[in-house]
Tab-separated table of all heavy atoms in Angstrom:
chain	number	residue	atom	x	y	z
A	397	ASN	N	-2.310	-13.945	-2.227
A	397	ASN	CA	-0.896	-13.686	-2.455
A	397	ASN	C	-0.796	-12.302	-3.202
A	397	ASN	O	-0.733	-12.325	-4.440
A	397	ASN	CB	-0.369	-14.861	-3.251
A	397	ASN	CG	1.197	-14.852	-3.345
A	397	ASN	OD1	1.792	-13.821	-3.108
A	397	ASN	ND2	1.867	-15.876	-3.678
A	398	TRP	N	-0.343	-11.304	-2.500
A	398	TRP	CA	-0.242	-10.008	-3.164
A	398	TRP	C	0.821	-9.938	-4.244
A	398	TRP	O	0.666	-9.142	-5.150
A	398	TRP	CB	0.069	-8.907	-2.022
A	398	TRP	CG	-0.842	-9.022	-0.921
A	398	TRP	CD1	-2.221	-8.912	-0.955
A	398	TRP	CD2	-0.613	-8.910	0.480
A	398	TRP	NE1	-2.730	-8.925	0.353
A	398	TRP	CE2	-1.794	-8.769	1.332
A	398	TRP	CE3	0.662	-8.799	1.228
A	398	TRP	CZ2	-1.785	-8.790	2.588
A	398	TRP	CZ3	0.674	-8.767	2.587
A	398	TRP	CH2	-0.534	-8.732	3.316
A	399	SER	N	1.836	-10.683	-3.998
A	399	SER	CA	2.977	-10.598	-4.977
A	399	SER	C	2.574	-11.113	-6.400
A	399	SER	O	3.408	-10.918	-7.275
A	399	SER	CB	4.165	-11.380	-4.412
A	399	SER	OG	3.912	-12.874	-4.374
A	400	LEU	N	1.437	-11.912	-6.597
A	400	LEU	CA	1.078	-12.391	-7.830
A	400	LEU	C	0.254	-11.446	-8.515
A	400	LEU	O	-0.270	-11.796	-9.694
A	400	LEU	CB	0.435	-13.747	-7.666
A	400	LEU	CG	1.293	-14.950	-7.076
A	400	LEU	CD1	0.491	-16.099	-6.943
A	400	LEU	CD2	2.446	-15.160	-7.954
A	401	LEU	N	-0.131	-10.292	-8.014
A	401	LEU	CA	-0.812	-9.337	-8.736
A	401	LEU	C	-0.054	-8.756	-9.933
A	401	LEU	O	1.216	-8.785	-9.965
A	401	LEU	CB	-1.270	-8.097	-7.848
A	401	LEU	CG	-2.306	-8.419	-6.653
A	401	LEU	CD1	-2.427	-7.268	-5.790
A	401	LEU	CD2	-3.707	-8.831	-7.352
A	402	PRO	N	-0.794	-8.275	-10.971
A	402	PRO	CA	0.026	-7.651	-12.151
A	402	PRO	C	0.925	-6.544	-11.677
A	402	PRO	O	0.561	-5.871	-10.680
A	402	PRO	CB	-1.119	-7.072	-12.989
A	402	PRO	CG	-2.354	-7.815	-12.580
A	402	PRO	CD	-2.268	-8.206	-11.193
A	403	PRO	N	2.046	-6.414	-12.327
A	403	PRO	CA	3.135	-5.439	-11.899
A	403	PRO	C	2.590	-3.986	-12.114
A	403	PRO	O	3.036	-3.084	-11.410
A	403	PRO	CB	4.221	-5.722	-12.736
A	403	PRO	CG	3.723	-6.420	-13.966
A	403	PRO	CD	2.433	-7.202	-13.398
A	404	SER	N	1.624	-3.788	-13.047
A	404	SER	CA	1.102	-2.391	-13.260
A	404	SER	C	-0.401	-2.507	-13.487
A	404	SER	O	-0.842	-3.140	-14.436
A	404	SER	CB	1.911	-1.778	-14.456
A	404	SER	OG	1.463	-0.443	-14.730
A	405	VAL	N	-1.181	-1.785	-12.704
A	405	VAL	CA	-2.595	-1.718	-12.781
A	405	VAL	C	-2.953	-0.207	-12.958
A	405	VAL	O	-2.729	0.425	-11.988
A	405	VAL	CB	-3.342	-2.396	-11.578
A	405	VAL	CG1	-4.848	-2.370	-11.896
A	405	VAL	CG2	-2.835	-3.795	-11.501
A	406	GLY	N	-3.458	0.128	-14.000
A	406	GLY	CA	-3.732	1.615	-14.302
A	406	GLY	C	-4.963	2.144	-13.657
A	406	GLY	O	-5.725	2.733	-14.343
A	407	CYS	N	-5.200	1.852	-12.369
A	407	CYS	CA	-6.296	2.478	-11.780
A	407	CYS	C	-6.003	2.533	-10.311
A	407	CYS	O	-5.035	2.094	-9.698
A	407	CYS	CB	-7.555	1.553	-12.097
A	407	CYS	SG	-7.553	-0.096	-11.324
A	408	HIS	N	-6.982	3.179	-9.602
A	408	HIS	CA	-6.931	3.188	-8.078
A	408	HIS	C	-7.381	1.841	-7.482
A	408	HIS	O	-8.347	1.272	-7.934
A	408	HIS	CB	-7.837	4.295	-7.504
A	408	HIS	CG	-7.644	5.674	-8.118
A	408	HIS	ND1	-6.519	6.290	-7.836
A	408	HIS	CD2	-8.397	6.454	-9.025
A	408	HIS	CE1	-6.500	7.468	-8.560
A	408	HIS	NE2	-7.607	7.533	-9.129
A	409	LEU	N	-6.703	1.301	-6.548
A	409	LEU	CA	-6.932	0.082	-5.841
A	409	LEU	C	-7.140	0.298	-4.421
A	409	LEU	O	-6.669	1.160	-3.787
A	409	LEU	CB	-5.770	-0.959	-6.107
A	409	LEU	CG	-5.467	-1.401	-7.570
A	409	LEU	CD1	-4.306	-2.406	-7.435
A	409	LEU	CD2	-6.652	-1.996	-8.183
A	410	ALA	N	-8.050	-0.629	-3.969
A	410	ALA	CA	-8.274	-0.695	-2.433
A	410	ALA	C	-7.881	-2.147	-2.098
A	410	ALA	O	-8.475	-3.004	-2.603
A	410	ALA	CB	-9.624	-0.395	-2.101
A	411	LEU	N	-6.960	-2.308	-1.088
A	411	LEU	CA	-6.608	-3.666	-0.722
A	411	LEU	C	-7.418	-4.007	0.502
A	411	LEU	O	-7.361	-3.239	1.552
A	411	LEU	CB	-5.085	-3.655	-0.355
A	411	LEU	CG	-4.454	-5.057	0.128
A	411	LEU	CD1	-4.564	-6.027	-0.963
A	411	LEU	CD2	-3.014	-4.855	0.377
A	412	SER	N	-7.900	-5.222	0.426
A	412	SER	CA	-8.773	-5.737	1.657
A	412	SER	C	-8.427	-7.188	1.813
A	412	SER	O	-7.528	-7.849	1.077
A	412	SER	CB	-10.231	-5.471	1.384
A	412	SER	OG	-11.006	-5.866	2.527
A	413	GLY	N	-9.002	-7.891	2.769
A	413	GLY	CA	-8.744	-9.256	2.941
A	413	GLY	C	-7.859	-9.657	3.867
A	413	GLY	O	-6.593	-9.836	3.606
A	414	GLY	N	-8.134	-9.867	5.185
A	414	GLY	CA	-7.282	-10.378	6.249
A	414	GLY	C	-6.146	-9.318	6.707
A	414	GLY	O	-5.219	-9.777	7.355
A	415	LEU	N	-6.459	-8.101	6.468
A	415	LEU	CA	-5.431	-7.026	6.865
A	415	LEU	C	-5.547	-6.957	8.415
A	415	LEU	O	-6.522	-6.887	9.000
A	415	LEU	CB	-5.683	-5.719	6.224
A	415	LEU	CG	-5.464	-5.647	4.665
A	415	LEU	CD1	-5.690	-4.295	4.124
A	415	LEU	CD2	-4.013	-6.277	4.230
A	416	THR	N	-4.333	-6.581	9.039
A	416	THR	CA	-4.213	-6.416	10.498
A	416	THR	C	-3.170	-5.428	10.653
A	416	THR	O	-2.359	-5.018	9.777
A	416	THR	CB	-3.799	-7.676	11.199
A	416	THR	OG1	-2.356	-7.995	10.870
A	416	THR	CG2	-4.727	-8.964	10.864
A	417	PRO	N	-2.973	-4.824	11.827
A	417	PRO	CA	-1.887	-3.874	12.200
A	417	PRO	C	-0.475	-4.517	11.869
A	417	PRO	O	0.333	-3.873	11.557
A	417	PRO	CB	-2.042	-3.534	13.592
A	417	PRO	CG	-3.520	-3.673	13.756
A	417	PRO	CD	-3.880	-4.898	13.052
A	418	ALA	N	-0.463	-5.927	11.908
A	418	ALA	CA	0.857	-6.626	11.815
A	418	ALA	C	1.211	-6.813	10.271
A	418	ALA	O	2.407	-6.887	9.999
A	418	ALA	CB	0.733	-7.984	12.484
A	419	ASN	N	0.240	-6.866	9.377
A	419	ASN	CA	0.566	-7.219	8.067
A	419	ASN	C	0.298	-6.060	7.051
A	419	ASN	O	0.619	-6.350	5.903
A	419	ASN	CB	-0.113	-8.527	7.588
A	419	ASN	CG	-1.571	-8.541	7.397
A	419	ASN	OD1	-2.096	-7.390	7.456
A	419	ASN	ND2	-2.265	-9.661	7.312
A	420	VAL	N	-0.397	-5.045	7.441
A	420	VAL	CA	-0.797	-4.025	6.436
A	420	VAL	C	0.407	-3.346	5.745
A	420	VAL	O	0.371	-3.008	4.521
A	420	VAL	CB	-1.727	-3.064	7.109
A	420	VAL	CG1	-1.168	-2.169	8.151
A	420	VAL	CG2	-2.415	-2.198	5.950
A	421	GLY	N	1.521	-3.210	6.575
A	421	GLY	CA	2.745	-2.720	5.926
A	421	GLY	C	3.317	-3.502	4.807
A	421	GLY	O	3.615	-2.946	3.706
A	422	ALA	N	3.231	-4.765	4.956
A	422	ALA	CA	3.700	-5.665	3.841
A	422	ALA	C	2.824	-5.574	2.601
A	422	ALA	O	3.309	-5.594	1.468
A	422	ALA	CB	3.908	-7.045	4.419
A	423	GLY	N	1.514	-5.459	2.870
A	423	GLY	CA	0.602	-5.338	1.850
A	423	GLY	C	0.787	-4.091	1.018
A	423	GLY	O	0.819	-4.101	-0.150
A	424	ILE	N	0.991	-2.995	1.756
A	424	ILE	CA	1.197	-1.670	1.114
A	424	ILE	C	2.468	-1.748	0.335
A	424	ILE	O	2.584	-1.377	-0.870
A	424	ILE	CB	1.304	-0.515	2.105
A	424	ILE	CG1	-0.148	-0.289	2.783
A	424	ILE	CG2	1.790	0.720	1.501
A	424	ILE	CD1	-0.209	0.656	3.878
A	425	ALA	N	3.540	-2.346	0.806
A	425	ALA	CA	4.833	-2.430	0.108
A	425	ALA	C	4.736	-3.249	-1.236
A	425	ALA	O	5.319	-3.005	-2.141
A	425	ALA	CB	5.862	-3.062	1.028
A	426	GLN	N	3.839	-4.274	-1.222
A	426	GLN	CA	3.622	-5.106	-2.311
A	426	GLN	C	2.712	-4.531	-3.399
A	426	GLN	O	3.040	-4.538	-4.644
A	426	GLN	CB	3.027	-6.508	-1.927
A	426	GLN	CG	3.988	-7.343	-1.354
A	426	GLN	CD	4.931	-8.153	-2.453
A	426	GLN	OE1	4.699	-7.919	-3.582
A	426	GLN	NE2	5.915	-8.828	-1.954
A	427	VAL	N	1.618	-3.752	-2.923
A	427	VAL	CA	0.702	-3.358	-3.885
A	427	VAL	C	0.722	-1.938	-4.298
A	427	VAL	O	0.408	-1.621	-5.472
A	427	VAL	CB	-0.701	-3.613	-3.327
A	427	VAL	CG1	-1.817	-3.259	-4.269
A	427	VAL	CG2	-0.900	-5.087	-2.853
A	428	ARG	N	1.267	-1.077	-3.550
A	428	ARG	CA	1.253	0.351	-3.708
A	428	ARG	C	2.145	0.691	-5.134
A	428	ARG	O	1.627	1.461	-5.864
A	428	ARG	CB	1.809	1.101	-2.624
A	428	ARG	CG	2.017	2.654	-2.924
A	428	ARG	CD	0.719	3.318	-3.258
A	428	ARG	NE	0.842	4.719	-3.629
A	428	ARG	CZ	1.081	5.018	-4.992
A	428	ARG	NH1	1.046	4.144	-5.898
A	428	ARG	NH2	1.100	6.328	-5.237
A	429	PRO	N	3.209	0.068	-5.300
A	429	PRO	CA	3.952	0.309	-6.560
A	429	PRO	C	3.323	-0.214	-7.809
A	429	PRO	O	3.788	0.197	-8.940
A	429	PRO	CB	5.351	-0.508	-6.321
A	429	PRO	CG	5.442	-0.709	-4.865
A	429	PRO	CD	3.908	-0.762	-4.326
A	430	ARG	N	2.182	-0.912	-7.683
A	430	ARG	CA	1.472	-1.488	-8.835
A	430	ARG	C	0.326	-0.677	-9.381
A	430	ARG	O	-0.329	-1.093	-10.436
A	430	ARG	CB	0.967	-2.988	-8.518
A	430	ARG	CG	2.124	-3.834	-8.032
A	430	ARG	CD	1.532	-5.207	-7.406
A	430	ARG	NE	2.539	-5.974	-6.807
A	430	ARG	CZ	3.100	-7.056	-7.392
A	430	ARG	NH1	2.726	-7.383	-8.511
A	430	ARG	NH2	4.089	-7.729	-6.602
Side-chain angles (χ1 to χ4, degrees):
N397 191 339
W398 306 315
S399 68
L400 296 180
L401 291 170
S404 180
V405 183
C407 66
H408 304 294
L409 294 180
L411 180 62
S412 185
L415 295 180
T416 68
N419 68 12
V420 68
I424 291 171
Q426 281 283 352
V427 182
R428 175 64 187 89
R430 303 168 189 260

